[in-house]
């Protein structure tokens, strides 16, 4: 990314000694949570970084942003939504446009309206999303590149023997909504494993459906959640299940969990698996589309039986395997490595 940020286009015609090493980048988005790590690192390296805020997927705030966009060498659209459509149609001469596309954009019509002839590069968070986007929106393959999501979490001090024992008996799940996250499968796995591991508990972290306005229209999903919450109520009272809302205390959460669950119907890359792995959590992951391309295939299981088998196989060697997964995931998803790409 930095090699592209400090591209040759802005230095054309200048003698080598006069080339500037500082770039001006404007990030256009409605949601900056997945780009904040990279944004912070760019700032720390001396680049000028500004934000253009979008109100939702399609509405651009007009005030206070003209100067930032005029001074930017590079427009970076985080999400391929209305921001990408607008900038592909209004890109001034001499500026460079880069888009990063996640899973969320695939069912929308926004990518189809982007003028990709004016886009320098489209970055994808997984090969599975890249293939779907090329097929559906006729995006030029030569402009596409997969760069994994970045994780800046740090495990900190080594885990004590007592922490390791607690983590080995704690399943963690980040993200409960929408229903495709399948919290019911997490409960099924917990109850199955507790038949032989009675100390096992489940820690859930995420917003409930009531915190999202758009969930009010998903009647079937809400019915599923009502049944789920009724089922876990007694387990909560006995300390077998705990729930907390989503916040920025992720390092604390992952330090308390030894296994990170990824049991969704489908995902783009499921950032929680990368975050958990960098913190030393072993993944209990099913084969949602493209999982075995984002993560090592050996970590992906087909069904409940294989998930139980994976837990059994790594229970006694948890401390060693946790350290190994932490080193492996840091090499792939750690911010330093992703910034190089």
């Amino acid at each position: 990314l930095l090699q592209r940020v400090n591209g040759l286009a802005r230095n054309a015609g200048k003698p080598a000694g006069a080339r500037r090493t500082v770039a001006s980048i404007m990030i256009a988005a409605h949601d900056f949570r997945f780009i904040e790590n990279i944004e912070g690192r760019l700032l720390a390296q001396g680049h000028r970084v500004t934000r253009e805020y979008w109100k939702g997927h399609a509405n651009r705030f007009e005030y206070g942003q003209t100067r930032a966009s005029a001074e930017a060498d590079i427009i970076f659209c985080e999400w391929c939504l209305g921001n990408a459509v607008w900038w592909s149609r209004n890109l001034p001469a001499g500026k460079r446009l880069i888009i990063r596309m996640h899973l969320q954009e695939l069912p929308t019509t926004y990518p189809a309206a982007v003028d990709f002839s004016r886009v320098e590069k489209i970055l994808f968070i997984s090969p599975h999303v890249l293939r779907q986007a090329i097929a559906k929106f006729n995006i030029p393959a030569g402009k596409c590149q997969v760069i994994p999501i970045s994780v800046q979490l740090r495990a900190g001090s080594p885990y004590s023997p007592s922490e390791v024992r607690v983590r080995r008996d704690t399943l963690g799940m980040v993200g409960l909504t929408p229903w495709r996250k399948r919290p019911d499968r997490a409960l099924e796995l917990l109850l199955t494993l507790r038949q032989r591991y009675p100390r096992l508990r489940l820690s859930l972290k995420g917003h409930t459906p009531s915190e999202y306005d758009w969930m009010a229209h998903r009647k079937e999903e809400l019915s599923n959640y009502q049944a789920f919450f009724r089922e876990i109520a007694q387990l909560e009272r006995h300390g077998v299940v705990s729930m907390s809302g989503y916040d920025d205390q992720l390092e604390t959460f992952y330090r308390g969990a030894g296994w990170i669950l990824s049991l969704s119907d489908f995902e783009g890359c499921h950032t929680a698996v990368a975050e958990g792995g960098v913190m030393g959590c072993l993944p209990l992951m099913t084969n949602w589309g493209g999982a075995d391309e984002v993560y090592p295939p050996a970590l992906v299981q087909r069904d409940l039986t294989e998930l139980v088998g994976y837990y059994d196989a790594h229970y006694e060697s948890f401390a060693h395997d946790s350290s190994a997964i932490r080193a492996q995931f840091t090499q792939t998803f750690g911010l330093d490595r992703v910034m190089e790409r």
Side-chain angles (χ1 to χ4, degrees):
L1 177 59
L2 285 176
Q3 290 175 347
R4 304 202 67 80
V5 165
N6 292 319
L8 299 178
R10 67 193 308 276
N11 298 311
K14 297 180 182 179
R19 288 181 178 176
R20 298 172 61 189
T21 59
V22 175
S24 179
I25 308 121
M26 189 182 76
I27 302 173
H30 73 289
D31 180 348
F32 294 83
R33 57 183 160 157
F34 295 122
I35 197 69
E36 285 177 338
N37 292 344
I38 292 174
E39 179 185 42
R41 182 61 61 85
L42 289 169
L43 286 166
Q45 292 176 346
H47 301 286
R48 292 192 297 272
V49 184
T50 55
R51 287 184 173 186
E52 179 185 67
Y53 290 91
W54 282 66
K55 186 178 180 180
H57 293 178
N59 298 319
R60 180 176 182 260
F61 288 116
E62 296 292 342
Y63 56 88
Q65 301 185 142
T66 304
R67 180 178 175 182
S69 60
E71 294 180 350
D73 304 305
I74 296 146
I75 310 297
F76 188 102
C77 287
E78 173 73 345
W79 312 92
C80 188
L81 295 166
N83 56 339
V85 175
W86 194 92
W87 277 109
S88 74
R89 296 178 178 181
N90 295 276
L91 187 69
K95 296 188 185 295
R96 302 162 62 195
L97 177 59
I98 300 171
I99 299 170
R100 183 160 73 159
M101 190 166 179
H102 302 255
L103 175 72
Q104 181 179 339
E105 300 94 309
L106 286 178
T108 75
T109 59
Y110 294 109
V114 172
D115 182 355
F116 288 105
S117 69
R118 308 187 73 187
V119 179
E120 179 176 326
K121 204 78 172 175
I122 306 96
L123 307 181
F124 293 86
I125 47 90
S126 76
H128 186 64
V129 173
L130 179 149
R131 287 194 300 271
Q132 292 184 77
I134 289 176
K136 184 174 182 179
F137 303 115
N138 198 30
I139 302 174
K143 294 188 174 185
C144 298
Q145 182 178 350
V146 174
I147 297 181
I149 207 77
S150 61
V151 176
Q152 198 174 13
L153 303 180
R154 300 187 185 279
S157 59
Y159 296 105
S160 67
S162 60
E163 284 181 309
V164 170
R165 288 192 294 271
V166 170
R167 297 183 74 232
R168 187 174 67 171
D169 289 316
T170 305
L171 307 180
M173 185 174 186
V174 177
L176 307 176
T177 310
W179 187 252
R180 68 173 175 85
K181 298 289 186 180
R182 300 308 298 265
D184 58 322
R185 291 176 181 162
L187 182 58
E188 181 183 11
L189 178 60
L190 169 71
L191 296 178
T192 300
L193 286 171
R194 274 180 61 84
Q195 295 175 19
R196 284 180 294 124
Y197 302 93
R199 292 192 300 271
L200 191 65
R201 56 185 294 273
L202 172 63
S203 181
L204 301 170
K205 188 178 188 67
H207 294 314
T208 59
S210 62
E211 297 176 76
Y212 297 100
D213 293 339
W214 44 267
M215 278 297 298
H217 305 291
R218 301 188 180 188
K219 303 300 183 183
E220 183 177 350
E221 291 190 35
L222 290 176
S223 177
N224 291 336
Y225 279 110
Q226 289 172 352
F228 170 73
F229 289 131
R230 283 196 300 267
E231 196 168 358
I232 68 169
Q234 186 173 358
L235 294 171
E236 282 189 280
R237 287 194 292 270
H238 289 85
V240 177
V241 175
S242 62
M243 290 188 61
S244 60
Y246 189 84
D247 54 38
D248 60 359
Q249 303 302 309
L250 289 173
E251 289 175 344
T252 301
F253 178 84
Y254 290 123
R255 279 194 71 92
W259 312 79
I260 186 67
L261 304 186
S262 180
L263 312 173
S264 307
D265 291 330
F266 59 92
E267 289 283 352
C269 65
H270 205 181
T271 307
V273 178
E275 292 173 340
V278 167
M279 292 292 292
C281 299
L282 298 181
L284 288 167
M285 176 169 42
T286 50
N287 194 21
W288 41 263
D292 56 358
E293 293 180 291
V294 179
Y295 302 103
L299 301 179
V300 180
Q301 316 306 320
R302 289 180 296 184
D303 51 30
L304 179 65
T305 300
E306 288 196 357
L307 289 169
V308 171
Y310 183 87
Y311 187 90
D312 286 337
H314 295 274
Y315 185 79
E316 294 298 335
S317 59
F318 173 80
H320 172 272
D321 297 342
S322 172
S323 297
I325 208 81
R326 177 177 164 186
Q328 180 182 12
F329 273 45
T330 299
Q331 283 296 313
T332 303
F333 302 103
L335 181 58
D336 292 341
R337 178 59 178 149
V338 174
M339 283 298 296
E340 291 175 9
R341 298 185 63 177

